[in-house]
Amino acid sequence: MIVYERAVKFEEVDAANIVFFARFATYAHEAMEHFFDPLDGGYAGLIMTRRIGLPAVHVEMSFSAPLHYGDRLRIETSVTKVGNRSAVLHYRMVRHADGALAADVRHTVVTTDLRLLSSCDMPADVRALLTSHMEGP
Amino acid sequence: MIVYERAVKFEEVDAANIVFFARFATYAHEAMEHFFDPLDGGYAGLIMTRRIGLPAVHVEMSFSAPLHYGDRLRIETSVTKVGNRSAVLHYRMVRHADGALAADVRHTVVTTDLRLLSSCDMPADVRALLTSHMEGP
Amino acid sequence: MIVYERAVKFEEVDAANIVFFARFATYAHEAMEHFFDPLDGGYAGLIMTRRIGLPAVHVEMSFSAPLHYGDRLRIETSVTKVGNRSAVLHYRMVRHADGALAADVRHTVVTTDLRLLSSCDMPADVRALLTSHMEGP
Amino acid sequence: MIVYERAVKFEEVDAANIVFFARFATYAHEAMEHFFDPLDGGYAGLIMTRRIGLPAVHVEMSFSAPLHYGDRLRIETSVTKVGNRSAVLHYRMVRHADGALAADVRHTVVTTDLRLLSSCDMPADVRALLTSHMEGP
């Protein structure tokens, strides 16, 4: 499990005064970028230099407590499945002040050659990092 | 079914040059705002005047074809379930040029008193609109 | 002058419950995309096919009335200057309900070869469109 | 001067593959939130508890070098003017790798009672913080 923390920003709420639900998918991606920091060149290097990406094929988000401006968010990222070309990342997004679960997100990605926009074998360093953060049984 | 069309905007793509996956949740909300246009005052009236909102409790998104800048998107919104306080909206998001399914989104919302941030009975006009767009068996 | 209208969206406000100031730069770009619709392939064709863009080199925004969710915005786009490689677009952003000026935006762009990221001569069709919407003296 | 650093995020670029110009206004606000961290409760406390905000009345942005995904941004925030109810913040946004100036932003804000949406006297702690970071002559 990798932990990533960040504050809710001023413009991330909506007209109901809570964090807009689509932002949680952005938060998930942000946590994934952080998860892949140990790669040589980080996630940006994977995308920009090696031209391999991890587009989503499936996302499930469950929301259980709202976030407001001023809240701090703790995202715990782990991995529930690693296949030949795909993986499932799992993000527990917790409201820092009281530990309430704000959102639970599952994110299935496929290693993709960005030049062709078609799936490709998972690079060894990507696989190693994912495998080392598999959730226990 | 209610149809909503819009172009992909210049800033909606990501560093992989395709529409960023979280945008599809924003597109879903935009289609939902459009779906509720027939309400008196529209969705904005529901939120700002009546202070009733429809926060998401669950979202599932499946992605099957990428969108690029310049693509046009057609979103077909229907309803798969209406409960006492919740409903499930279903969005088929189709790439206009070739009819390819770009994304399929299911969005469970709960009618919520925004002053209390707690669930409330579904207003009759909201229920009527949802019910009139139920998917066939 | 070209007019573009759009509603304020649910997620465009901030924690002060008014449209976030940076959104007005996005609105300006949206109005510019609309302004260039008459080009063959529109603005997207210019970017994606011809690989010519109009990055900003200078932006000035003055704000005089706030916008809320539910407001409708009318953007009047005109041109104040056309040079060899640059132009200045001017957007009057008016709150539809009462005609109040919400924001006044001036946007200097430079025609740019996107392959080289260096300035280039202004294409004739771009120049013709800009020139035809020059503000009067 | 207060320094704030952050990486360019995956979804902050546009279809020209450079950071979308409106993002720099968002970056400025983010740097301002960071600037006001020393306030009791931070900027969020000012907004949410004290209900005092700093809406923009004028923004000027000049762009001189593009940013790409993977770039790191260093924002140097200082203050050029403090009035009775207004102040001007100045952000030098520098590309970390080579020190190139990416954008220079000047941001005039007015202390505002968010309940009334009208200007109010500048709180003493806000004034003290602004004054302590005035640019030299």
Side-chain angles (χ1 to χ4, degrees):
Chain A
M1 190 186 71
I2 298 280
V3 172
Y4 174 68
E5 285 195 17
R6 51 108 83 212
V8 169
K9 285 168 55 192
F10 183 67
E11 72 277 14
E12 293 176 342
V13 299
D14 58 30
N17 290 120
I18 57 176
V19 169
F20 185 57
F21 79 118
R23 299 274 182 191
F24 290 89
T26 306
Y27 294 166
H29 198 275
E30 204 173 306
M32 186 177 78
E33 288 191 63
H34 178 74
F35 180 92
F36 283 117
D37 271 352
L39 293 184
D40 185 27
Y43 190 71
L46 190 67
I47 298 288
M48 301 300 279
T49 309
R50 298 159 70 184
R51 301 299 291 155
I52 293 172
L54 295 171
V57 291
H58 192 71
V59 173
E60 286 196 44
M61 304 192 282
S62 293
F63 303 99
S64 34
L67 291 178
H68 295 87
Y69 178 50
D71 282 343
R72 200 167 170 79
L73 184 62
R74 171 188 163 91
I75 305 180
E76 302 168 357
T77 305
S78 56
V79 180
T80 62
K81 194 175 164 189
V82 182
N84 285 333
R85 300 180 165 208
S86 69
V88 182
L89 289 105
H90 177 209
Y91 313 88
R92 286 188 76 248
M93 302 191 182
V94 174
R95 203 162 57 188
H96 193 273
D98 62 359
L101 184 68
D104 188 276
V105 178
R106 288 166 194 270
H107 179 205
T108 307
V109 296
V110 173
T111 45
T112 298
D113 181 323
L114 294 178
R115 275 169 288 240
L116 307 172
L117 276 186
S118 65
S119 72
C120 64
D121 287 338
M122 188 179 291
D125 56 344
V126 171
R127 175 179 304 279
L129 196 52
L130 289 165
T131 306
S132 68
H133 293 284
M134 285 289 287
E135 287 183 6
Chain B
M1 190 185 72
I2 297 281
V3 172
Y4 175 68
E5 285 195 17
R6 52 110 79 212
V8 169
K9 285 168 55 191
F10 184 67
E11 72 278 13
E12 293 177 340
V13 299
D14 57 30
N17 290 121
I18 58 176
V19 169
F20 185 56
F21 79 118
R23 298 275 182 191
F24 290 90
T26 306
Y27 293 166
H29 198 276
E30 204 172 306
M32 187 177 77
E33 289 191 63
H34 178 73
F35 181 91
F36 283 116
D37 271 352
L39 292 184
D40 185 27
Y43 191 69
L46 190 67
I47 297 290
M48 302 299 280
T49 309
R50 298 160 70 182
R51 301 300 290 155
I52 294 172
L54 294 172
V57 291
H58 191 72
V59 173
E60 287 196 44
M61 304 192 281
S62 293
F63 303 99
S64 34
L67 291 179
H68 295 86
Y69 178 50
D71 281 343
R72 201 169 167 79
L73 185 62
R74 171 188 163 92
I75 306 179
E76 302 168 356
T77 304
S78 56
V79 179
T80 62
K81 195 177 163 188
V82 181
N84 285 332
R85 301 181 164 208
S86 69
V88 182
L89 290 105
H90 177 208
Y91 313 87
R92 287 189 76 249
M93 301 191 182
V94 174
R95 202 162 57 188
H96 193 273
D98 62 0
L101 183 69
D104 188 277
V105 179
R106 288 168 194 268
H107 179 204
T108 308
V109 296
V110 173
T111 45
T112 298
D113 181 324
L114 294 179
R115 276 169 286 239
L116 307 172
L117 277 186
S118 64
S119 72
C120 64
D121 288 338
M122 187 178 291
D125 55 344
V126 171
R127 176 178 304 279
L129 196 52
L130 289 165
T131 305
S132 68
H133 293 284
M134 286 288 288
E135 288 184 6
Chain C
M1 191 185 71
I2 298 281
V3 173
Y4 175 68
E5 286 196 16
R6 51 108 83 211
V8 169
K9 286 168 55 190
F10 183 67
E11 72 278 12
E12 292 177 342
V13 299
D14 57 30
N17 291 121
I18 57 177
V19 169
F20 185 56
F21 79 117
R23 299 276 181 190
F24 290 89
T26 306
Y27 293 167
H29 197 276
E30 205 173 307
M32 186 177 78
E33 290 192 62
H34 177 73
F35 180 91
F36 284 117
D37 270 354
L39 293 183
D40 186 27
Y43 190 72
L46 190 67
I47 298 288
M48 301 299 280
T49 309
R50 298 160 71 183
R51 301 300 290 154
I52 293 172
L54 294 171
V57 290
H58 191 72
V59 173
E60 286 196 44
M61 304 192 282
S62 293
F63 303 99
S64 34
L67 291 178
H68 295 88
Y69 178 50
D71 282 342
R72 199 166 170 81
L73 184 63
R74 168 188 166 92
I75 305 180
E76 302 168 358
T77 304
S78 56
V79 180
T80 63
K81 195 176 164 189
V82 181
N84 285 332
R85 300 183 165 205
S86 68
V88 182
L89 290 104
H90 177 209
Y91 313 87
R92 286 188 76 248
M93 302 193 180
V94 174
R95 203 162 56 188
H96 194 273
D98 61 1
L101 183 69
D104 188 275
V105 179
R106 288 168 194 268
H107 179 205
T108 307
V109 297
V110 173
T111 46
T112 298
D113 181 322
L114 294 179
R115 274 168 288 240
L116 308 172
L117 276 186
S118 64
S119 71
C120 64
D121 288 338
M122 189 180 289
D125 55 345
V126 171
R127 176 178 304 278
L129 197 51
L130 289 165
T131 306
S132 68
H133 293 284
M134 285 289 286
E135 288 184 6
Chain D
M1 190 186 72
I2 298 280
V3 173
Y4 175 68
E5 286 195 18
R6 51 107 83 213
V8 169
K9 286 168 54 191
F10 184 67
E11 73 277 13
E12 293 177 341
V13 300
D14 58 30
N17 291 122
I18 57 176
V19 169
F20 185 56
F21 79 117
R23 298 275 183 192
F24 290 89
T26 306
Y27 294 167
H29 198 276
E30 205 172 306
M32 187 177 78
E33 290 192 61
H34 177 72
F35 180 92
F36 284 116
D37 270 353
L39 293 183
D40 186 27
Y43 190 71
L46 190 67
I47 298 289
M48 301 299 279
T49 309
R50 298 160 70 183
R51 300 300 289 154
I52 293 171
L54 295 171
V57 290
H58 192 71
V59 173
E60 286 196 45
M61 305 192 281
S62 293
F63 304 99
S64 35
L67 292 178
H68 295 88
Y69 179 50
D71 282 342
R72 200 167 169 79
L73 184 63
R74 168 188 166 92
I75 306 179
E76 302 168 358
T77 305
S78 56
V79 179
T80 63
K81 194 175 164 190
V82 182
N84 285 331
R85 301 182 164 206
S86 69
V88 182
L89 290 104
H90 178 208
Y91 313 87
R92 285 187 78 248
M93 303 193 181
V94 174
R95 203 162 56 188
H96 194 274
D98 62 0
L101 183 68
D104 188 275
V105 179
R106 289 169 194 267
H107 178 205
T108 307
V109 296
V110 173
T111 45
T112 298
D113 180 322
L114 293 178
R115 275 168 287 239
L116 307 171
L117 276 186
S118 64
S119 72
C120 63
D121 287 338
M122 189 179 290
D125 56 344
V126 171
R127 176 178 303 278
L129 196 51
L130 289 166
T131 306
S132 68
H133 293 285
M134 285 289 286
E135 288 184 6

PDB file of all heavy atoms in Angstrom, chain B residues 10-11 13-17 20 23 69, chain D residues 10-11 13-17 20 23 69:
ATOM      1  N   PHE B  10     -11.005  21.373 -26.439  1.00  0.00           N
ATOM      2  CA  PHE B  10      -9.552  21.451 -26.605  1.00  0.00           C
ATOM      3  C   PHE B  10      -8.771  20.999 -25.377  1.00  0.00           C
ATOM      4  O   PHE B  10      -7.723  20.362 -25.495  1.00  0.00           O
ATOM      5  CB  PHE B  10      -9.232  22.919 -26.907  1.00  0.00           C
ATOM      6  CG  PHE B  10      -7.808  23.248 -27.206  1.00  0.00           C
ATOM      7  CD1 PHE B  10      -7.190  22.771 -28.355  1.00  0.00           C
ATOM      8  CD2 PHE B  10      -7.081  24.071 -26.354  1.00  0.00           C
ATOM      9  CE1 PHE B  10      -5.872  23.120 -28.647  1.00  0.00           C
ATOM     10  CE2 PHE B  10      -5.774  24.421 -26.636  1.00  0.00           C
ATOM     11  CZ  PHE B  10      -5.159  23.944 -27.787  1.00  0.00           C
ATOM     12  N   GLU B  11      -9.302  21.312 -24.192  1.00  0.00           N
ATOM     13  CA  GLU B  11      -8.559  21.058 -22.962  1.00  0.00           C
ATOM     14  C   GLU B  11      -9.029  19.781 -22.262  1.00  0.00           C
ATOM     15  O   GLU B  11      -8.638  19.529 -21.123  1.00  0.00           O
ATOM     16  CB  GLU B  11      -8.670  22.251 -22.010  1.00  0.00           C
ATOM     17  CG  GLU B  11     -10.031  22.435 -21.352  1.00  0.00           C
ATOM     18  CD  GLU B  11     -11.048  23.150 -22.217  1.00  0.00           C
ATOM     19  OE1 GLU B  11     -10.812  23.308 -23.444  1.00  0.00           O
ATOM     20  OE2 GLU B  11     -12.093  23.557 -21.680  1.00  0.00           O
ATOM     21  N   VAL B  13      -8.488  16.649 -23.312  1.00  0.00           N
ATOM     22  CA  VAL B  13      -7.602  15.508 -23.530  1.00  0.00           C
ATOM     23  C   VAL B  13      -6.468  15.545 -22.510  1.00  0.00           C
ATOM     24  O   VAL B  13      -6.287  16.528 -21.798  1.00  0.00           O
ATOM     25  CB  VAL B  13      -7.026  15.508 -24.958  1.00  0.00           C
ATOM     26  CG1 VAL B  13      -8.155  15.417 -25.978  1.00  0.00           C
ATOM     27  CG2 VAL B  13      -6.174  16.743 -25.208  1.00  0.00           C
ATOM     28  N   ASP B  14      -5.713  14.467 -22.456  1.00  0.00           N
ATOM     29  CA  ASP B  14      -4.616  14.352 -21.508  1.00  0.00           C
ATOM     30  C   ASP B  14      -3.302  14.159 -22.268  1.00  0.00           C
ATOM     31  O   ASP B  14      -3.256  14.313 -23.499  1.00  0.00           O
ATOM     32  CB  ASP B  14      -4.885  13.200 -20.525  1.00  0.00           C
ATOM     33  CG  ASP B  14      -5.090  11.864 -21.239  1.00  0.00           C
ATOM     34  OD1 ASP B  14      -4.515  11.646 -22.334  1.00  0.00           O
ATOM     35  OD2 ASP B  14      -5.824  11.023 -20.694  1.00  0.00           O
ATOM     36  N   ALA B  15      -2.251  13.846 -21.551  1.00  0.00           N
ATOM     37  CA  ALA B  15      -0.935  13.745 -22.177  1.00  0.00           C
ATOM     38  C   ALA B  15      -0.815  12.516 -23.088  1.00  0.00           C
ATOM     39  O   ALA B  15       0.172  12.381 -23.807  1.00  0.00           O
ATOM     40  CB  ALA B  15       0.165  13.724 -21.110  1.00  0.00           C
ATOM     41  N   ALA B  16      -1.821  11.640 -23.069  1.00  0.00           N
ATOM     42  CA  ALA B  16      -1.863  10.538 -24.031  1.00  0.00           C
ATOM     43  C   ALA B  16      -2.691  10.920 -25.253  1.00  0.00           C
ATOM     44  O   ALA B  16      -2.952  10.085 -26.127  1.00  0.00           O
ATOM     45  CB  ALA B  16      -2.421   9.268 -23.372  1.00  0.00           C
ATOM     46  N   ASN B  17      -3.143  12.184 -25.295  1.00  0.00           N
ATOM     47  CA  ASN B  17      -3.874  12.746 -26.450  1.00  0.00           C
ATOM     48  C   ASN B  17      -5.278  12.208 -26.645  1.00  0.00           C
ATOM     49  O   ASN B  17      -5.854  12.340 -27.727  1.00  0.00           O
ATOM     50  CB  ASN B  17      -3.092  12.545 -27.755  1.00  0.00           C
ATOM     51  CG  ASN B  17      -1.858  13.400 -27.805  1.00  0.00           C
ATOM     52  OD1 ASN B  17      -0.755  12.886 -27.924  1.00  0.00           O
ATOM     53  ND2 ASN B  17      -2.018  14.697 -27.669  1.00  0.00           N
ATOM     54  N   PHE B  20      -9.424  12.478 -21.214  1.00  0.00           N
ATOM     55  CA  PHE B  20      -9.061  11.985 -19.881  1.00  0.00           C
ATOM     56  C   PHE B  20     -10.258  11.242 -19.286  1.00  0.00           C
ATOM     57  O   PHE B  20     -11.385  11.729 -19.327  1.00  0.00           O
ATOM     58  CB  PHE B  20      -8.679  13.179 -19.001  1.00  0.00           C
ATOM     59  CG  PHE B  20      -8.173  12.818 -17.643  1.00  0.00           C
ATOM     60  CD1 PHE B  20      -7.086  11.971 -17.488  1.00  0.00           C
ATOM     61  CD2 PHE B  20      -8.785  13.340 -16.502  1.00  0.00           C
ATOM     62  CE1 PHE B  20      -6.607  11.648 -16.215  1.00  0.00           C
ATOM     63  CE2 PHE B  20      -8.309  13.029 -15.242  1.00  0.00           C
ATOM     64  CZ  PHE B  20      -7.220  12.173 -15.091  1.00  0.00           C
ATOM     65  N   ARG B  23     -13.131  12.742 -17.266  1.00  0.00           N
ATOM     66  CA  ARG B  23     -14.056  13.644 -17.972  1.00  0.00           C
ATOM     67  C   ARG B  23     -15.389  12.957 -18.259  1.00  0.00           C
ATOM     68  O   ARG B  23     -16.420  13.631 -18.389  1.00  0.00           O
ATOM     69  CB  ARG B  23     -13.468  14.091 -19.314  1.00  0.00           C
ATOM     70  CG  ARG B  23     -12.191  14.861 -19.201  1.00  0.00           C
ATOM     71  CD  ARG B  23     -12.435  16.324 -18.971  1.00  0.00           C
ATOM     72  NE  ARG B  23     -11.179  17.052 -18.917  1.00  0.00           N
ATOM     73  CZ  ARG B  23     -11.063  18.305 -18.519  1.00  0.00           C
ATOM     74  NH1 ARG B  23     -12.123  18.977 -18.125  1.00  0.00           N
ATOM     75  NH2 ARG B  23      -9.908  18.905 -18.492  1.00  0.00           N
ATOM     76  N   TYR B  69      -9.629  15.109 -29.555  1.00  0.00           N
ATOM     77  CA  TYR B  69     -10.106  16.460 -29.819  1.00  0.00           C
ATOM     78  C   TYR B  69     -10.643  16.511 -31.255  1.00  0.00           C
ATOM     79  O   TYR B  69     -10.001  16.002 -32.173  1.00  0.00           O
ATOM     80  CB  TYR B  69      -8.980  17.487 -29.638  1.00  0.00           C
ATOM     81  CG  TYR B  69      -9.423  18.896 -29.944  1.00  0.00           C
ATOM     82  CD1 TYR B  69     -10.579  19.415 -29.377  1.00  0.00           C
ATOM     83  CD2 TYR B  69      -8.696  19.696 -30.809  1.00  0.00           C
ATOM     84  CE1 TYR B  69     -10.994  20.700 -29.658  1.00  0.00           C
ATOM     85  CE2 TYR B  69      -9.108  21.002 -31.093  1.00  0.00           C
ATOM     86  CZ  TYR B  69     -10.274  21.485 -30.515  1.00  0.00           C
ATOM     87  OH  TYR B  69     -10.688  22.756 -30.806  1.00  0.00           O
TER      88      TYR B  69
ATOM     89  N   PHE D  10      -0.996  15.018 -15.522  1.00  0.00           N
ATOM     90  CA  PHE D  10      -1.320  14.309 -16.763  1.00  0.00           C
ATOM     91  C   PHE D  10      -2.449  14.961 -17.562  1.00  0.00           C
ATOM     92  O   PHE D  10      -2.420  14.977 -18.796  1.00  0.00           O
ATOM     93  CB  PHE D  10      -1.718  12.884 -16.365  1.00  0.00           C
ATOM     94  CG  PHE D  10      -2.016  11.941 -17.470  1.00  0.00           C
ATOM     95  CD1 PHE D  10      -1.018  11.522 -18.335  1.00  0.00           C
ATOM     96  CD2 PHE D  10      -3.291  11.408 -17.631  1.00  0.00           C
ATOM     97  CE1 PHE D  10      -1.284  10.595 -19.343  1.00  0.00           C
ATOM     98  CE2 PHE D  10      -3.568  10.485 -18.638  1.00  0.00           C
ATOM     99  CZ  PHE D  10      -2.555  10.090 -19.491  1.00  0.00           C
ATOM    100  N   GLU D  11      -3.433  15.487 -16.852  1.00  0.00           N
ATOM    101  CA  GLU D  11      -4.641  15.990 -17.535  1.00  0.00           C
ATOM    102  C   GLU D  11      -4.614  17.504 -17.683  1.00  0.00           C
ATOM    103  O   GLU D  11      -5.618  18.097 -18.062  1.00  0.00           O
ATOM    104  CB  GLU D  11      -5.893  15.546 -16.774  1.00  0.00           C
ATOM    105  CG  GLU D  11      -6.137  16.262 -15.457  1.00  0.00           C
ATOM    106  CD  GLU D  11      -5.362  15.680 -14.287  1.00  0.00           C
ATOM    107  OE1 GLU D  11      -4.431  14.875 -14.509  1.00  0.00           O
ATOM    108  OE2 GLU D  11      -5.683  16.041 -13.146  1.00  0.00           O
ATOM    109  N   VAL D  13      -2.630  19.256 -19.752  1.00  0.00           N
ATOM    110  CA  VAL D  13      -2.261  19.687 -21.090  1.00  0.00           C
ATOM    111  C   VAL D  13      -3.507  19.710 -21.986  1.00  0.00           C
ATOM    112  O   VAL D  13      -4.570  19.220 -21.609  1.00  0.00           O
ATOM    113  CB  VAL D  13      -1.175  18.764 -21.704  1.00  0.00           C
ATOM    114  CG1 VAL D  13       0.077  18.786 -20.836  1.00  0.00           C
ATOM    115  CG2 VAL D  13      -1.687  17.348 -21.865  1.00  0.00           C
ATOM    116  N   ASP D  14      -3.349  20.284 -23.165  1.00  0.00           N
ATOM    117  CA  ASP D  14      -4.450  20.403 -24.104  1.00  0.00           C
ATOM    118  C   ASP D  14      -4.106  19.669 -25.400  1.00  0.00           C
ATOM    119  O   ASP D  14      -3.115  18.949 -25.459  1.00  0.00           O
ATOM    120  CB  ASP D  14      -4.778  21.881 -24.343  1.00  0.00           C
ATOM    121  CG  ASP D  14      -3.573  22.670 -24.862  1.00  0.00           C
ATOM    122  OD1 ASP D  14      -2.709  22.085 -25.562  1.00  0.00           O
ATOM    123  OD2 ASP D  14      -3.498  23.883 -24.578  1.00  0.00           O
ATOM    124  N   ALA D  15      -4.925  19.853 -26.417  1.00  0.00           N
ATOM    125  CA  ALA D  15      -4.718  19.121 -27.670  1.00  0.00           C
ATOM    126  C   ALA D  15      -3.491  19.600 -28.431  1.00  0.00           C
ATOM    127  O   ALA D  15      -3.087  18.983 -29.416  1.00  0.00           O
ATOM    128  CB  ALA D  15      -5.971  19.218 -28.548  1.00  0.00           C
ATOM    129  N   ALA D  16      -2.869  20.703 -27.980  1.00  0.00           N
ATOM    130  CA  ALA D  16      -1.581  21.128 -28.548  1.00  0.00           C
ATOM    131  C   ALA D  16      -0.419  20.553 -27.731  1.00  0.00           C
ATOM    132  O   ALA D  16       0.742  20.885 -27.990  1.00  0.00           O
ATOM    133  CB  ALA D  16      -1.497  22.644 -28.614  1.00  0.00           C
ATOM    134  N   ASN D  17      -0.746  19.717 -26.730  1.00  0.00           N
ATOM    135  CA  ASN D  17       0.256  18.991 -25.922  1.00  0.00           C
ATOM    136  C   ASN D  17       1.053  19.872 -24.976  1.00  0.00           C
ATOM    137  O   ASN D  17       2.094  19.455 -24.466  1.00  0.00           O
ATOM    138  CB  ASN D  17       1.249  18.222 -26.797  1.00  0.00           C
ATOM    139  CG  ASN D  17       0.606  17.058 -27.490  1.00  0.00           C
ATOM    140  OD1 ASN D  17       0.621  16.973 -28.700  1.00  0.00           O
ATOM    141  ND2 ASN D  17      -0.009  16.181 -26.708  1.00  0.00           N
ATOM    142  N   PHE D  20      -2.562  23.904 -20.780  1.00  0.00           N
ATOM    143  CA  PHE D  20      -3.642  24.795 -21.224  1.00  0.00           C
ATOM    144  C   PHE D  20      -3.508  26.135 -20.489  1.00  0.00           C
ATOM    145  O   PHE D  20      -3.338  26.179 -19.280  1.00  0.00           O
ATOM    146  CB  PHE D  20      -4.981  24.129 -20.917  1.00  0.00           C
ATOM    147  CG  PHE D  20      -6.183  24.879 -21.422  1.00  0.00           C
ATOM    148  CD1 PHE D  20      -6.308  25.209 -22.759  1.00  0.00           C
ATOM    149  CD2 PHE D  20      -7.206  25.239 -20.562  1.00  0.00           C
ATOM    150  CE1 PHE D  20      -7.424  25.882 -23.234  1.00  0.00           C
ATOM    151  CE2 PHE D  20      -8.326  25.912 -21.015  1.00  0.00           C
ATOM    152  CZ  PHE D  20      -8.436  26.243 -22.356  1.00  0.00           C
ATOM    153  N   ARG D  23      -4.994  27.055 -17.114  1.00  0.00           N
ATOM    154  CA  ARG D  23      -4.458  26.369 -15.925  1.00  0.00           C
ATOM    155  C   ARG D  23      -3.550  27.281 -15.117  1.00  0.00           C
ATOM    156  O   ARG D  23      -3.399  27.098 -13.912  1.00  0.00           O
ATOM    157  CB  ARG D  23      -3.636  25.149 -16.331  1.00  0.00           C
ATOM    158  CG  ARG D  23      -4.418  24.087 -17.067  1.00  0.00           C
ATOM    159  CD  ARG D  23      -5.113  23.154 -16.124  1.00  0.00           C
ATOM    160  NE  ARG D  23      -5.811  22.102 -16.860  1.00  0.00           N
ATOM    161  CZ  ARG D  23      -6.690  21.287 -16.302  1.00  0.00           C
ATOM    162  NH1 ARG D  23      -6.991  21.380 -15.029  1.00  0.00           N
ATOM    163  NH2 ARG D  23      -7.282  20.362 -17.022  1.00  0.00           N
ATOM    164  N   TYR D  69       3.741  17.893 -19.997  1.00  0.00           N
ATOM    165  CA  TYR D  69       3.592  16.885 -18.950  1.00  0.00           C
ATOM    166  C   TYR D  69       4.977  16.377 -18.583  1.00  0.00           C
ATOM    167  O   TYR D  69       5.788  16.085 -19.460  1.00  0.00           O
ATOM    168  CB  TYR D  69       2.695  15.739 -19.428  1.00  0.00           C
ATOM    169  CG  TYR D  69       2.547  14.660 -18.380  1.00  0.00           C
ATOM    170  CD1 TYR D  69       2.195  14.994 -17.074  1.00  0.00           C
ATOM    171  CD2 TYR D  69       2.764  13.323 -18.695  1.00  0.00           C
ATOM    172  CE1 TYR D  69       2.071  14.009 -16.107  1.00  0.00           C
ATOM    173  CE2 TYR D  69       2.625  12.340 -17.737  1.00  0.00           C
ATOM    174  CZ  TYR D  69       2.281  12.686 -16.437  1.00  0.00           C
ATOM    175  OH  TYR D  69       2.162  11.716 -15.481  1.00  0.00           O
TER     176      TYR D  69
END
